[in-house]
Amino acid sequence: AQDDARDEPFEVVMVVWRGCEDACEGFWDHLESAGVEVAATVLDAQQDRDRLPSFVERIDAMQPDLVVTWGTSVTLGIIGPIEASSEARVEGIPAIFMIVADPVGAGIIEDATTSGRPLVTGTHNRVPEAVQMRVLADYLPFEQVGVIYNRDELNAVLKAEELGRVGEEQGFGVVERMLATDAAGAPLVEDIAPAVADLAEAGVDLIYLGSSSFLRDNADLLTTSALAEGLPLATAYEAVVRESKGLIALGSAYYNVGQLAGYQAERILRDGIAPGDLEVVGLDRFSVVVNMDTALELERYPPMLLLRAAEVVRSQ
């Protein structure tokens, strides 16, 4: 265990993708409530991977007590994959990742509970796609699910592939639409509405948004396009239902995920436990959120059994 008489605060660096959102705030709030004194540095990539190499250099120069990464792109850029890589990554610094859709598929950890890396641990925050589809089937019987994804986000690709496998197992079809990209390979906002229209023409029963920071950031356009086509949109992102017009979300509240990562940090910093000795963990409970305004507009009323378990919200 660490020396309880430590005079200086622990130096913790968090690298985020799009500012300090709910998970980031939950992390710091947990450490504060636990009485763990930290000198906090937040580095914001502003959704630009090109910033990450300079962050690696800065972190290596700082040699903090802990580095925390938000999201798949940031985690791969700062901590790197489990396999050796020639690209620069922080080394010799304890690390925690959070908000990574598929850390095993992304090659970050060994298996669902073990990182296989002495200095790395993290949190699961996703309800598996198989569970998502079973819950949706009780509300929205479907034969074809539409999925839109962007090739530049590994987590988006992995979740689209997972949905395809679940479709084969559960007996529904998956219709994919990959977004067009610009010269730099970034997805085009103006391709979202046509992608939704293509899925409607293909006869899908609903659209599922599993994992995509790009689509989450453009949720208003995505959800209004789906509504215009009379299609319900289900998602793993609560914000797409709470703050936009998605119909239903089944997921983990980001703030709670951040607090869970904060507990891991407490054990590493205060108790002196090596990250690799901590399991990669997830929340025990998930939340269901239904946007009733969207349900009324689509005339897709939730069954009473679901309403008893769900939080009902109205469009902002």
Side-chain angles (χ1 to χ4, degrees):
Q2 294 281 5
D3 183 359
D4 293 336
R6 180 186 174 101
D7 294 327
E8 298 180 356
F10 295 101
E11 192 166 7
V12 179
V13 176
M14 180 182 291
V15 184
V16 297
W17 183 242
R18 55 169 184 264
C20 187
E21 43 58 82
D22 289 351
C24 169
E25 292 175 0
F27 178 87
W28 300 119
D29 285 352
H30 175 84
L31 290 181
E32 182 178 4
S33 66
V36 180
E37 294 188 14
V38 298
T41 299
V42 177
L43 304 178
D44 185 2
Q46 300 179 32
Q47 303 186 59
D48 182 0
R49 291 185 185 84
D50 291 341
R51 292 174 176 265
L52 299 178
S54 66
F55 290 172
V56 170
E57 293 179 2
R58 183 171 174 181
I59 293 167
D60 281 338
M62 294 173 66
Q63 286 294 299
D65 297 291
L66 180 69
V67 60
V68 183
T69 59
W70 189 106
T72 303
S73 295
V74 169
T75 301
L76 286 172
I78 301 298
I79 300 175
I82 194 168
E83 296 296 333
S85 173
S86 60
E87 297 181 36
R89 303 288 190 270
V90 294
E91 295 183 358
I93 301 172
I96 296 172
F97 63 82
M98 59 181 181
I99 316 298
V100 176
D102 186 356
V104 177
I108 296 167
I109 61 175
E110 187 172 77
D111 59 48
T113 60
T114 306
S115 74
R117 307 173 69 171
L119 293 177
V120 177
T121 191
T123 61
H124 290 296
N125 66 288
R126 293 297 304 257
V127 180
E129 262 54 21
V131 177
Q132 295 271 1
M133 295 301 111
R134 284 196 292 269
V135 172
L136 288 176
D138 290 336
Y139 176 14
L140 305 165
F142 55 85
E143 295 180 357
Q144 298 280 342
V145 176
V147 59
I148 301 170
Y149 67 99
N150 41 303
R151 181 62 73 173
D152 75 321
E153 285 189 65
L154 177 59
N155 55 315
V157 175
L158 291 171
K159 284 301 167 184
E161 292 174 350
E162 182 179 344
L163 186 63
R165 292 192 295 271
V166 171
E168 293 178 359
E169 295 168 358
Q170 297 186 7
F172 62 84
V174 176
V175 181
E176 297 183 358
R177 174 66 161 85
M178 189 167 64
L179 294 172
T181 56
D182 61 19
L188 298 173
V189 172
E190 54 266 34
D191 196 40
I192 294 175
V196 172
D198 284 352
L199 291 177
E201 186 175 352
V204 303
D205 300 298
L206 63 91
I207 295 176
Y208 176 69
L209 170 58
S211 182
S212 168
S213 293
F214 174 76
L215 289 173
R216 182 187 185 280
D217 291 344
N218 291 283
D220 286 345
L221 176 56
L222 176 64
T223 57
T224 54
S225 298
L227 274 176
E229 298 289 349
L231 288 172
L233 186 137
T235 178
Y237 293 117
E238 285 192 12
V240 174
V241 174
R242 292 182 184 278
E243 301 167 14
S244 193
K245 295 184 178 181
L247 175 60
I248 181 171
L250 178 64
S252 304
Y254 274 22
Y255 183 86
N256 294 340
V257 175
Q259 289 208 308
L260 185 59
Y263 175 65
Q264 288 181 310
E266 176 189 351
R267 299 188 71 191
I268 293 167
L269 297 172
R270 173 179 285 169
D271 301 335
I273 299 175
D277 291 336
L278 294 174
E279 284 192 2
V280 177
V281 293
L283 296 173
D284 294 330
R285 296 182 180 179
F286 305 109
S287 57
V288 180
V289 184
V290 175
N291 187 315
M292 191 56 70
D293 288 336
T294 299
L296 293 172
E297 186 169 345
L298 290 169
E299 298 184 351
R300 307 297 291 268
Y301 309 110
M304 288 303 300
L305 187 61
L306 179 63
L307 283 176
R308 288 175 186 156
E311 178 183 354
V312 173
V313 298
R314 310 301 293 260
S315 297
Q316 298 296 313

